[in-house]
Amino acid sequence: MTKKAFIFDLDGVIVDTAKYHFLAWKKLAATIGVDFTKQQNEQLKGVSRVKSLEKILAWGNKTITEAEFANLMALKNTDYLTYIDKMDEQEILPDVAKTLDFLRDKKQHIALGSASKNARMILEKVNILEKFDIIVDGNDVTKGKPDPEVFLKAAEHLNVPNEHCVVFEDAVAGIQAANNAGMISIGIGEKDILHEADYVFTDFTEIDIDFLNELISR
Ligand code: BG6
Ligand code: MG
C-alpha cells in the first residue's frame, strides 16, 4: 500500500483565525475610511495578504501609492500578530489533534499547505508544529489558491503522487486548488459553499476512523 499524504490548510481548518484576520482588517479599513463587513471577510478566506488588501481597497474605491500599500500591509500584520501572540493549544479546533495523531500512528505523511506567512508561528503557538512532516506556506509560493502551487510543492517534497494526496480545506479557492492539483479534496465547512469538494464535513468531529482508514487504503 502506498503511503498517502494528508495536507492540511491552517486558517479555518486547524484554528479559527478568520476572526482575528477580521478584527485586524476591520481596524485597518477604518483607518482609511473603508467600511468592512463580516460578509466581505468571508471572501478573504484562503486569499493572500496582498490580494486581501487589494480587494478591500477596491470595495472602498480607494487608490493608494505603493509605499502606502506596503505600510498598510505591515500595520495589518502587526495588529494581527497581537491576537496570534495570545493563542495556545485551546484554540486547536475540535478533533484536529486527534486526527493528526491517528494519521501519524498509521505512518501517513502529514503536511501543511497554507497561504499564510504566519503559519509556522501559529503552529508553534498552539504547539503542534512537530506533528507535521513538512510545512509549505505563503513564504514558499508565488501563486495563491486556486492555483495548486502550494499543494503541488507539498506533494513534491514528500515524493507522493498527486492522486495519493488528500487535502483538508475550508475555502472555496482551496478546494479548487486541491482539485486543480488532481488531489482528493475534503471541505471543512458548509456543503452549499464547498460543493466542489469530493467530500464535505462540518468539522473534524464528523470525520470517523472508518473514513480515514478508507482513504489510507484506497
Ligand atoms: C489564509 C487566510 O490562510 O492566509 C487568509 O485564510 C489570509 O485570510 C492568508 O489573508 C494570508 O495570511 P497571513 O497570515 O500571511 O496574513
Ligand atoms: Mg483556510
Side-chain angles (χ1 to χ4, degrees):
M1 202 185 347
T2 337
K3 224 164 136 173
K4 300 284 185 319
F6 288 83
I7 309 176
F8 291 74
D9 172 47
L10 174 69
D11 297 311
V13 169
I14 294 175
V15 283
D16 175 23
T17 36
K19 58 188 181 212
Y20 303 138
H21 280 296
F22 176 65
L23 292 171
W25 280 130
K26 191 164 175 66
K27 189 168 160 188
L28 185 94
T31 66
I32 50 167
V34 174
D35 191 34
F36 177 61
T37 65
K38 273 227 148 108
Q39 284 71 21
Q40 285 169 322
N41 193 54
E42 284 300 303
Q43 295 179 49
L44 301 185
K45 281 189 177 172
V47 176
S48 74
R49 202 181 308 164
V50 171
K51 286 265 181 296
S52 298
L53 182 53
E54 284 172 2
K55 276 178 184 268
I56 291 170
L57 292 171
W59 289 327
N61 257 324
K62 296 271 172 196
T63 321
I64 58 171
T65 65
E66 252 178 59
E68 283 167 336
F69 191 96
N71 184 39
L72 290 179
M73 291 265 290
L75 277 177
K76 188 271 175 175
N77 200 49
T78 304
D79 192 38
Y80 178 63
L81 292 180
T82 63
Y83 299 106
I84 300 312
D85 195 47
K86 295 180 200 119
M87 287 181 84
D88 63 21
E89 290 171 31
Q90 309 282 349
E91 296 216 31
I92 302 173
L93 289 168
D95 282 2
V96 169
K98 189 175 134 191
T99 305
L100 289 169
D101 290 341
F102 176 81
L103 295 171
R104 275 215 91 78
D105 284 350
K106 292 278 176 178
K107 307 270 182 287
Q108 301 301 298
H109 295 289
I110 301 179
L112 190 90
S114 167
S116 173
K117 294 190 172 180
N118 297 304
R120 253 171 213 281
M121 189 195 300
I122 294 171
L123 291 177
E124 265 170 21
K125 277 279 170 198
V126 301
N127 204 18
I128 50 168
L129 181 64
E130 75 288 349
K131 292 190 198 288
F132 292 84
D133 298 314
I134 178 164
I135 311 283
V136 184
D137 66 19
N139 301 294
D140 306 307
V141 294
T142 54
K143 288 168 272 175
K145 301 167 185 176
D147 189 283
E149 185 182 9
V150 67
F151 299 138
L152 292 176
K153 279 210 163 161
E156 198 183 309
H157 278 297
L158 294 167
N159 203 16
V160 175
N162 299 345
E163 61 275 21
H164 287 164
C165 294
V166 179
V167 174
F168 295 100
E169 256 293 348
D170 71 311
V172 173
I175 293 296
Q176 290 167 341
N179 292 344
N180 289 338
M183 298 177 177
I184 298 164
S185 56
I186 303 187
I188 302 295
E190 290 176 38
K191 278 205 171 69
D192 292 356
I193 298 173
L194 303 174
H195 57 87
E196 290 172 66
D198 294 319
Y199 306 90
V200 182
F201 299 96
T202 309
D203 56 37
F204 281 84
T205 66
E206 277 188 3
I207 301 181
D208 62 24
I209 280 169
D210 290 345
F211 178 68
L212 293 175
N213 274 329
E214 196 273 309
L215 289 172
I216 291 168
S217 59
R218 220 190 243 197

